[in-house]
């Protein structure tokens, strides 16, 4: 009887040890690798998870907390350096701690178009977004974004439509640069 009890204890110990090795040696590293991959994807407009920012949809650009959380979950978030809101012109100014020449120009164009559209689509009364870099200031306008998209911005809250209308049109470098030049407000 005592022998059977000892066999059960040893068996359970071995099963627990094997379980620990599987969890710590295989499952946890895979989960960690998946998280690292997902985070890296969030830095690129072509792989960014738009559903992750949909929760920041808001009628008013004056909701500072919402606007900041939205932009902290968009590409280039790691270089954010503050915000300013100008409610009289429905403008948000987003500061970045880098010079524009520190990035590939096509990738920067993609990011700015993607981020501006995400802001316009998710914040109903935002009319302009100003990206303030150390070396330059870039202004993108809602009306110009609407013209480039060719459909109601609100419809882009649907992820499939977003992917078709925005993400797919930013894949080709020439199309990304064209989108950027069409959305920049020259006034």
């Amino acid at each position: 009887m005592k022998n059977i009890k000892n066999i059960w204890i040893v068996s359970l110990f071995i099963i627990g040890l094997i379980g620990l090795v599987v969890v710590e040696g295989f499952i946890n590293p895979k989960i960690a690798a998946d998280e690292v991959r997902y985070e890296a994807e969030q830095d690129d407009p072509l792989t960014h998870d738009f559903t992750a920012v949909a929760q920041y949809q808001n009628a008013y650009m004056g909701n500072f907390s919402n606007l900041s959380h939205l932009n902290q979950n968009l590409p280039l978030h790691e270089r954010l350096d503050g915000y300013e809101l100008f409610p009289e012109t429905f403008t948000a100014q987003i500061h970045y701690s880098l010079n524009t020449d520190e990035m590939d120009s096509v990738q920067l164009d993609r990011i700015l178009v993607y981020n501006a559209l995400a802001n316009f689509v998710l914040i109903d009364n935002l009319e302009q977004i100003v990206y303030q870099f150390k070396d330059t200031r870039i202004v993108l306008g809602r009306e110009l974004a609407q013209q480039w998209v060719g459909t109601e911005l609100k419809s882009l809250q649907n992820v499939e439509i977003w992917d078709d209308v925005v993400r797919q049109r930013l894949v080709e470098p020439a199309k990304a640069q064209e989108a950027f030049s069409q959305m920049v407000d020259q006034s």
Side-chain angles (χ1 to χ4, degrees), residues 17-93:
L17 191 59
I18 290 170
L20 180 66
V21 168
V22 168
V23 168
E24 291 299 323
F26 299 102
I27 295 174
N28 284 348
K30 183 184 180 329
I31 290 171
D34 289 347
E35 288 174 1
V36 167
R37 181 187 48 76
Y38 178 80
E39 283 301 316
E41 288 175 350
Q42 300 321 293
D43 292 335
D44 187 341
L46 301 180
T47 56
H48 180 265
D49 180 11
F50 186 73
T51 59
V53 296
Q55 65 182 320
Y56 301 112
Q57 196 285 323
N58 196 289
Y60 305 106
M61 55 81 58
N63 184 336
F64 184 80
S65 175
N66 185 72
L67 180 109
S68 66
H69 282 97
L70 167 60
N71 285 282
Q72 288 167 7
N73 286 283
L74 289 171
L76 207 57
H77 65 273
E78 69 281 353
R79 299 301 296 268
L80 281 171
D81 196 26
Y83 309 91
E84 288 181 69
L85 299 181
F86 301 94
E88 63 281 351
T89 58
F90 301 102
T91 300
Q93 184 166 322

Side-chain angles (χ1 to χ4, degrees), residues 44-46 106-117 148 162-180 183:
D44 187 341
L46 301 180
V106 172
Q107 186 66 356
L108 182 61
D109 290 352
R110 272 189 193 118
I111 289 172
L112 295 182
V113 167
Y114 186 93
N115 289 3
L117 280 167
W148 180 75
W162 174 269
D163 284 343
D164 289 344
V165 174
V166 177
R167 193 182 320 266
Q168 294 308 314
R169 291 172 66 186
L170 294 175
V171 171
E172 291 181 44
K175 296 281 188 187
Q177 290 173 316
E178 178 183 319
F180 177 77
M183 287 176 56

Side-chain angles (χ1 to χ4, degrees), residues 127-142:
E127 292 297 322
Q128 266 191 339
I129 192 157
V130 177
Y131 292 112
Q132 183 66 54
F133 293 89
K134 287 182 175 182
D135 62 338
T136 193
R137 180 178 192 257
I138 301 168
V139 180
L140 287 91
R142 177 188 270 304

